[in-house]
Amino acid sequence: MTRTEEQQRKVEEAQRIIGRDFDDPDILLSAITHPSATEGKPVKFSYERLEFLGDSILGAIVANEAFHEYPELDEGGLTRIKVALVSGTSLAEVAEKLGFADVIVFGSSERGTGRRGLHSALENVYEAVVAALFLDSGIAGAQAFVRRTLIPKMSVEMAREPENPKSALQEKLQEEGITPTYKLVETQGPPHDRTFVSQVFAGMKALASGMGRTKKEAESQAAKTALDALGFTKASKADKAKAKREKKQSRTEKKNKG
């Protein structure tokens, strides 16, 4: 595929950031190309399809790393670590520090709006790069990149409290042997300024829906709404913790009197 001067320069800079020369640079070019730069072209020329693949690969790599790093943690703790580490905020922060903001290929419409979706683009490009590495050099290439750039953020503290509503909802539903699933039900707006609507399900039952500027944000909002609807709010958790403390204090007082 013939590349423009800008595209060639950004592919070379992306390879420098990643620390690898791609056998197929066109895969990397797709991974760093915003949908606004491919209007009228097949979807394969932007990061959208690669983002889908990268999300799954990234989740597997992070799960594997957490599983081996923290053998003392149960499923709930490992889930909290994974959800926190692959959150949109986490990936966008890492991508920005790496310098990906300067290599994303935006279309003219996005440049004219001041890059409103930069945070979302950074998150998506990170996932797309993971997929591009997987396709170009196998799981080892993707794993090396994630280990170098994302895994250093991993810590056992992430396992102690749910970092977001998705983790909290998963913990609660798994107590009943249910794993929540999410489905994108609607996409609104032009490619450079999208709004996503997602639903969360418990089995075949739809629990709630949520809206956000990214797919992950929409899922997070859906999970939050579901938690509220099911009564798993922060307030109820606080009440339970207070009741537990009072019960413990009562037992201690009885023991001292005895």
Side-chain angles (χ1 to χ4, degrees):
M1 182 175 68
T2 303
R3 292 189 285 274
T4 66
E5 185 177 333
E6 179 196 17
Q7 289 173 329
Q8 182 60 34
R9 176 173 55 80
K10 291 192 171 185
V11 165
E12 291 174 357
E13 178 62 14
Q15 289 183 135
R16 186 194 65 77
I17 291 172
I18 296 168
R20 173 183 173 81
D21 290 336
F22 277 62
D23 294 331
D24 183 2
D26 287 342
I27 295 178
L28 178 57
L29 176 58
S30 294
I32 62 173
T33 299
H34 190 272
S36 63
T38 62
E39 293 179 15
K41 295 182 180 179
V43 68
K44 69 177 183 179
F45 289 107
S46 77
Y47 57 54
E48 288 184 305
R49 277 170 52 84
L50 287 169
E51 171 204 349
F52 164 78
L53 177 60
D55 179 69
S56 296
I57 296 169
L58 180 61
I61 292 173
V62 170
N64 181 63
E65 293 292 325
F67 180 84
H68 288 95
E69 181 68 21
Y70 305 112
E72 74 283 1
L73 291 180
D74 60 12
E75 182 183 6
L78 293 173
T79 297
R80 287 194 290 274
I81 288 178
K82 177 187 171 186
V83 170
L85 209 55
V86 302
S87 69
T89 299
S90 174
L91 298 184
E93 287 176 355
V94 170
E96 186 170 20
K97 287 180 180 178
L98 288 172
F100 277 138
D102 295 326
V103 302
I104 300 175
V105 179
F106 286 99
S108 57
S109 60
E110 185 69 7
R111 293 193 189 101
T113 60
R115 298 186 183 182
R116 287 176 289 180
L118 180 58
H119 182 280
S120 173
L122 285 168
E123 168 196 348
N124 295 337
V125 164
Y126 186 94
E127 292 178 333
V129 165
V130 170
L133 281 164
F134 173 76
L135 293 172
D136 195 68
S137 57
I139 189 63
Q143 196 170 36
F145 175 71
V146 174
R147 282 176 172 170
R148 177 173 67 84
T149 61
L150 184 63
I151 296 303
K153 287 170 60 71
M154 187 170 70
S155 68
V156 72
E157 283 74 22
M158 292 177 173
R160 292 176 182 165
E161 287 293 336
E163 292 294 320
N164 60 44
K166 287 181 67 176
S167 180
L169 181 63
Q170 180 152 333
E171 276 193 90
K172 287 298 180 182
L173 292 181
Q174 283 185 340
E175 291 176 3
E176 302 174 16
I178 301 171
T179 298
T181 57
Y182 296 83
K183 180 180 179 181
L184 180 65
V185 295
E186 188 177 356
T187 302
Q188 304 171 353
H192 63 274
D193 188 23
R194 284 180 171 168
T195 298
F196 300 92
V197 180
S198 293
Q199 276 189 315
V200 57
F201 292 81
M204 298 297 291
K205 180 183 179 182
L207 299 178
S209 61
M211 180 181 295
R213 293 299 299 276
T214 68
K215 294 174 186 176
K216 284 188 171 63
E217 184 179 329
E219 291 175 357
S220 180
Q221 288 299 319
K224 184 178 184 301
T225 303
L227 285 167
D228 292 340
L230 295 170
F232 300 137
T233 61
K234 289 185 177 180
S236 65
K237 287 184 178 180
D239 291 341
K240 290 178 182 179
K242 182 180 179 181
K244 188 175 181 180
R245 288 195 300 271
E246 290 176 348
K247 186 176 180 180
K248 184 177 180 181
Q249 183 178 359
S250 176
R251 287 201 303 266
T252 302
E253 291 175 351
K254 288 180 179 180
K255 183 176 180 181
N256 290 337
K257 287 180 181 180

